Amino acid sequence: MKSNNINLDVYKNVTVLRDDLLVGGTKSRFLHLLLDPKKVGYVYASPVYGGFQIALSGVAKSLNKKTIIFTPERKKPHYNTLKASNLGAEIIEIKPGYLNVIQKRAKDFVASYPEYQYLEFGANYPEAIRLIAGTMQSITNELGKEPSEVYCAVGSGTLVKGILAGTTKAKVTGVVVGKEFNYEHERLRLIKYPKGFDYLSKYKAPFQSMPNYDLKALEVCMELKKSNDVLFWNVY
C-alpha cells in the first residue's frame, strides 16, 4: 500500500512502514522543517553509525547547501560516514570521539562561523515529533484503524515520542539500541537490546533495514508481538 509517502508492506502478519524507500528514511520527512534556508550550510555531531548524517547530507545536497559532519575518528570509516561523504558532506574526525566532545567541537565551529546552522543530536525537536505524529495518524487512516501494537528502534527518542503523540490506544514498544534512554508513558514499554550498538543483527528481512538499528527492533518485534495487529516502523 502506498499513499502520500506512506509505503506499507506486510511481513509475517506485521504491517511494515517502509521508510527505507524514502531517500534519507524517516528523517527526510521532517528535515526541511528544521533547516534555516538563509544559512550556507549545516553542522551536525554524529556517532559514526548515525543515520541522521546521511539524511542531512542528502537533503542539504538537494538544496545546494554544505554539510559538515563532526564524528569520532576511526582507523576505517564507518559505512554510514562514507554514505554521508558520498552525498557531499565534509567529514571532520575528532579524537577522543565521545559524543559530548564532538558536540562541543561542532558547536565551537558554529560559534566561529555563524553562517552555519548547528542541528541537535537526533533532531529531537518539537517540530519533528509533531510531523511523526501526523505520519502515524496517516498510517492509521490508511489501515482504517489504529494498530494494537507498534514497534520501533529507539535512539534519541524522537520517533517513539512522535508515535505516542500520534496514537491514542496502541501499546508502543521501543527497542533501545544505543545509549540509555529514559522516558515514561503509560502505553510505552522500553526494551534494551542485549548487545552493543556495533553488533549487527543476523535477522533476515526481505527489505532494507539497518542491521545495527531497525533490524534489531524487528527481531524483538517478531519475538514478542502478541497479535497480528502490529505495525513495525522501519526507519532505515
Side-chain angles (χ1 to χ4, degrees), residues 54 57 78-89 210 236:
I54 301 169
S57 301
H78 192 275
Y79 58 84
N80 283 359
T81 304
L82 293 175
K83 285 181 181 179
S85 178
N86 290 338
L87 287 167
M210 196 172 291
Y236 189 59

Side-chain angles (χ1 to χ4, degrees), residues 2 6 10 26 40 45 50 74 89 96 123 127 146 183 188 196 204-205 215 226 232:
K2 179 178 179 180
I6 305 298
V10 177
T26 295
V40 302
R74 281 167 61 113
E127 296 92 335
E146 186 175 291
Y183 187 72
L188 175 64
K204 302 297 182 183
L215 197 58
K226 298 183 181 301
F232 174 71

